[in-house]
Amino acid sequence: QVQLVESGGGLVQPGGSLRLSCAASGSISSINNMGWHRQAPGKQRELVAQVTSGGATTYAVSVKGRFTISRDNAKNTVTMQMNSLKPEDTAVYYCKHRTYYSGGIYKDYWGQGTQVTVSS
């Protein structure tokens, strides 16, 4: 089992910034991916950004150039700096951890979600 604890959500004005953090604990494999997904009311959950244990990153087109994801493998944490926030970024943000086990088996774990609201 892997447990994820998220922090950093809140209310900001358009153009503002937030920094989300996610700390993982438990049965963590050295081979894993971590990232953030978000879900706005009435919409499906979508990938925002992710980073592999090797450091490769992926971003949704809508956040490229504004969000930056990074991780600290020693601390088992992932952070996402969110700049130039727009009202369209309003959503519940979920941390996801995918850990790879022996035999090619992997499993996804999700945080409980943290609310990000961008409004004036």
Side-chain angles (χ1 to χ4, degrees), residues 2-6 22 35-38 45-46 93-97 108-113:
V2 174
Q3 295 78 46
L4 303 175
V5 179
E6 303 155 324
C22 178
W36 291 92
H37 295 236
R38 68 186 180 188
R45 191 173 299 185
E46 64 174 349
Y93 285 69
Y94 298 89
C95 179
K96 189 184 84 173
H97 173 96
D108 291 342
Y109 299 87
W110 294 88
Q112 69 177 56

Side-chain angles (χ1 to χ4, degrees), residues 1 4 7 26 28 32 41 48 50 55 68 76 80-81 83 102-103 111-112 118:
Q1 285 288 323
L4 303 175
S7 63
I28 302 171
N32 61 78
V48 179
Q50 65 180 17
T68 302
N76 296 129
M80 186 166 69
Q81 180 67 41
N83 298 325
S102 62
Q112 69 177 56
V118 184

Side-chain angles (χ1 to χ4, degrees), residues 30-107:
S30 61
I31 303 175
N32 61 78
N33 299 320
M34 294 189 71
W36 291 92
H37 295 236
R38 68 186 180 188
Q39 187 166 23
K43 297 183 179 180
Q44 295 194 22
R45 191 173 299 185
E46 64 174 349
L47 171 70
V48 179
Q50 65 180 17
V51 57
T52 71
S53 51
T57 58
T58 300
Y59 296 93
V61 173
S62 61
V63 307
K64 284 184 177 179
R66 299 189 297 120
F67 293 8
T68 302
I69 191 168
S70 61
R71 64 184 295 160
D72 185 333
N73 290 339
K75 297 181 179 180
N76 296 129
T77 60
V78 61
T79 63
M80 186 166 69
Q81 180 67 41
M82 308 164 66
N83 298 325
S84 302
L85 284 163
K86 305 175 181 179
E88 305 93 270
D89 296 318
T90 297
V92 177
Y93 285 69
Y94 298 89
C95 179
K96 189 184 84 173
H97 173 96
R98 173 173 289 182
T99 192
Y100 292 83
Y101 303 105
S102 62
I105 300 173
Y106 65 87
K107 185 175 177 64

Side-chain angles (χ1 to χ4, degrees), residues 14-32:
S17 298
L18 283 174
R19 180 175 178 270
L20 303 183
S21 296
C22 178
S25 62
S27 302
I28 302 171
S29 171
S30 61
I31 303 175
N32 61 78

